Amino acid sequence: PHLAALVLARGGSKGIPLKNIKLLAGVPLIGWVLRAAIDAGVFHSIWVSTDHDEIEKVAKQFGAQVHRRSPEVSQDSSTSLEAITEFLNHHREVDIVGNIQATSPCLHPSDLIKVADLIQKEGFDSVFSVVRRHQFRWSEVKKGENKMTEPQNLNPAKRYRRQDWPGELYENGSFYFAKRHLIEKGYLQGGKMAYYEMRAEHSVDIDIDIDWPIAEQRVLSFGYFGKEPLKEVKLLVCSIDGCLTNGRIYVTEDHKEMVSYDYRDIVGIDLLKKRGIQVRLISDRDCSKTLSAMQLGCVAKVNVTNKLQVLKDWQEDMGLSWKEVAYLGNEESDVECLKQAGMSGVPADGCAAAQKAAGYICKSRGGCGAVREFAEHIFLLLEKVNSARKQ
């Protein structure tokens, strides 16, 4: 049977404009679930249903196919079932739909693999995700009603200790898998049903803007970053023009060049060095005088025609694996380096090709704190590496 992953990503959002492609820990929100779906390796096709050009662009960057949904199922009042049904009407080859929520950035491929087995090998018609919660519920008393609240799932005279109570299962909305015949009858849950219990730390749902900073920390701690395990970064290579500087060159009347940089980026470089991470600089043009004036104390290579070859030479000389190399670039000449490095980033104003190739897109522009921001991102991921080692 043809199992298709389907992510519904409407352009409109009552809470956060274009929430589905807003950057979360340097990656568009929808990118986290698409990465997990692709690496799961259980789907015959992976789709994003959208009505928005920018969402379509991001979806394709992450390797998904795009179904352009109609205006009729793109309204605030439109339901997920309506959008899924429309998708099935256009794709008769699909037998089973795995509807994955774009707002669940801590989803892991291992979850999707197990769910695919439940519905393909064990014969379930529908499988949905749940999370276990240990919360005591009480009946609601509306304003003006003259009555008392009542306990719903506890005896107040004999309250459970958390460790003595298994808790209750709640839908977390991360995904809903269902067979075509069920959806065509108007159900996402029905027939022979099963739930799949996700780990609490992986159950992250972003609904309101205030959740965003919390979600970023959760993703950095518990998110899925790729098939290969993260390694400790030992080398950061940074493109000078457009990353360390804003790319502008000022020329005086006596033909001298001047550039500007952000002191925060210099602090970021110093912090990296203190953590034992080498920082090296690279440039397409000859800016040796500028570097000398900045007095950064970093190895630099200027007037470079093949940045990837220089990066390979440095990586081999230091005896590093690619997972131990980070690269910050912003131009088309950086694209191959961004693809090769284990950790890659671009400033917010990096070119489209560089943004597509990078794993992290900074909120800061080049020359305006992007190096410092990328350094902070490296430190957060190093904490994840150290945490994994302890476990």
Side-chain angles (χ1 to χ4, degrees), residues 228-284:
E228 295 183 33
L230 293 170
K231 286 191 176 181
E232 188 169 352
V233 172
K234 296 182 180 177
L235 170 66
L236 167 64
V237 177
C238 176
S239 184
I240 298 169
D241 298 308
C243 290
L244 183 59
T245 73
N246 62 10
R248 294 181 179 178
I249 300 173
Y250 304 91
V251 182
T252 64
E253 289 183 353
D254 56 352
H255 305 291
K256 290 182 178 179
E257 291 185 358
M258 294 188 299
V259 299
S260 65
Y261 63 89
D262 194 312
Y263 181 70
R264 291 173 295 177
D265 291 330
I266 308 306
V267 172
I269 290 173
D270 288 339
L271 290 172
L272 287 162
K273 290 179 177 179
K274 288 176 182 178
R275 291 284 293 266
I277 300 171
Q278 280 204 37
V279 179
R280 298 189 178 186
L281 306 173
I282 195 167
S283 177
D284 297 296

Side-chain angles (χ1 to χ4, degrees), residues 80-117:
S80 296
L81 183 60
E82 289 171 340
I84 295 168
T85 301
E86 181 195 70
F87 169 80
L88 284 176
N89 288 339
H90 285 81
H91 299 279
R92 303 305 302 179
E93 76 279 6
V94 176
D95 302 297
I96 307 167
V97 173
N99 174 217
I100 301 172
Q101 186 131 309
T103 52
S104 299
C106 283
L107 183 65
H108 281 240
S110 56
D111 296 320
L112 298 173
I113 292 169
K114 292 172 183 174
V115 174
D117 283 345

Side-chain angles (χ1 to χ4, degrees), residues 335-355:
V335 167
E336 295 306 316
C337 296
L338 291 165
K339 290 179 179 178
Q340 190 69 63
M343 189 180 298
S344 57
V346 295
D349 54 348
C351 75
Q355 290 196 7

Side-chain angles (χ1 to χ4, degrees), residues 14 29 62 88 97 150 179-180 210 341 346 349 355 359:
K14 291 181 178 179
L29 178 60
F62 277 85
L88 284 176
V97 173
E150 297 288 341
K179 292 181 177 177
R180 172 185 280 272
I210 198 170
V346 295
D349 54 348
Q355 290 196 7

